[in-house]
Amino acid sequence: LARGWKVFGGPHGALPPALACDVAIVGSGAGAGITADLLSAAGLAVVLVEEGPLRSSRDFNQLESEAYPSLYQECASRKTADKAIGILQGRCVGGSTTVNWTSSFRTPAATLAYWREHFGLATFVDDALAPWFAQAEQRLAIEPWGQPANANNDKLRIGCARLGIGVAAIPRNVRGCWDLGSCGLGCPTNAKQSMLLTTIPAALERGAQLVVQTRAELLEIADGKVVAVHCAPVTTNGQRAAGPALRLAARHVVVAAGAINSPALLMRSRAPDPYRLLGRRTFLHPVVLSSAVFDDAIAGWQGAPQSLYTDHFLHTAPIDGPIGFKLEVPPLHPVIVSSTLPGFGLEQTATMKGFARTQALIALLRDGFHAESPGGQVTLRDDGSPLLDYPLTPFVLEGARRALHHMAEIQFAAGARSVLPVHERARPCRQWDEARAMIAALPMQPQLLRVVSAHVMGGCGMAASAERGVARP
């Protein structure tokens, strides 16, 4: 900013009534940041529009009470229509890359093959994409985490080793990481190579402009082409702020506002949708959790939050068979733990007394590859804000039960004193046989089973023909 980067909105000054550019980009996360970097390097005039605030390492103080309201959609309380799934999604410059836990995987070969077969994406082959994956990995310093796992992650390694299940290191987008463990609250040391630190500063250095605390409300469409983006200033909690609106005229517009907000913007703009596909096939990798208490200290808030994983339960069934899942380890912070684990009052007090010895596993269910896992549908509320209706089908819930079963088995194999599947009707179990019987009897129902998500995908699906998708290859 001191060198003259052009930033408007919020504390950076009122919005101008009009701007013009070659390319307007709605959003500032993974898709938007990479796009701004490439197109500004090509000499195009770029303007990015971000609904959230511009924050940087000086603002990241490892406090959940400040990070969730200021950096996340709906104060980290975004939920599906029936409130059955909580969604963690970024709302700040850098988007979810600013608040993610740094796990960085290439699109699996089996997924690419499925897209080629079902959506006609013939060029999406491993050899063709490999140079682009490699370029992104070099740009963002992505490589397997080579440091010793913290105790939270190491329990996954120990339990899987005793059961003969393979575990691997997670590739992370970090440079000079201090291993603090607060990645989800914004990196205070500028180690995480988010869009906030990499592509967006590079674009601004080349003359790109950034508009923050500003919502893209409507695309102006004339003769079948988007010619401008109509924007309004908002407060940090998303309410309309005082001040003039902005008409951003552009030769091209890139909508990169995430899989929920992007279709919502197109819907508000009455963009053509002849096959009623807009907002459909919105996926979440629904996540279920298993908590365990050990005799030794875990301190799950310290150290790289996700450093080990296993895909064993992805590979034990065909991609379009029973739903598979990836196992990882989440960071544990007081607010996110106390608001996620079941119980309140004295029960919650007892749970939190064991916080320092608590370990957790998460299972990310691979949705979208089976007729009974069709994903969700983005719609609009009366005020124009987005809402995701995502049914938890019996097919998905059956996979959740299997995931709870295997996670509990791994935790007991690692030496857990007790295991609690995160479900409203579950209770802590001290023996594997007891847990197995309880999990088999749990009613797998939305709102009883605790489900969360930090992977929001789709919404404007890509396909070779308009009958199958919203966007062209």
Side-chain angles (χ1 to χ4, degrees), residues 267-417:
M267 289 173 182
R268 288 196 300 269
S269 307
R270 301 187 183 279
D273 184 20
Y275 298 99
R276 311 301 298 167
L277 296 175
L278 189 57
R280 295 189 181 277
R281 287 186 56 80
T282 302
F283 300 110
L284 295 177
H285 284 164
V287 171
V288 294
L289 310 93
S290 184
S291 170
V293 176
F294 286 79
D295 289 325
D296 49 322
I298 300 296
W301 59 88
Q302 296 177 345
Q306 290 183 323
S307 57
L308 298 173
Y309 77 102
T310 179
D311 277 351
H312 175 81
F313 301 101
L314 281 180
H315 301 319
T316 51
I319 193 168
D320 56 353
I323 195 165
F325 45 89
K326 180 189 291 282
L327 295 186
E328 296 178 344
V329 179
L332 302 178
H333 298 284
V335 171
I336 201 167
V337 169
S338 61
S339 61
T340 301
L341 296 188
F344 58 93
L346 293 176
E347 185 180 0
Q348 185 183 61
T349 300
T351 297
M352 294 309 291
K353 282 182 177 179
F355 177 52
R357 294 179 288 109
T358 297
Q359 190 267 349
L361 294 179
I362 56 175
L364 300 93
L365 300 169
R366 180 175 56 191
D367 50 351
F369 297 95
H370 193 281
E372 296 180 47
S373 176
Q377 165 72 61
V378 177
T379 59
L380 296 178
R381 297 185 178 94
D382 291 343
D383 64 358
S385 62
L387 181 66
L388 175 63
D389 181 21
Y390 188 106
L392 288 170
T393 64
F395 172 81
V396 173
L397 292 170
E398 182 274 333
R401 189 191 303 276
R402 286 188 290 109
L404 292 178
H405 173 104
H406 289 297
M407 288 190 291
E409 185 179 21
I410 289 168
Q411 288 170 319
F412 277 118
R417 188 173 72 182

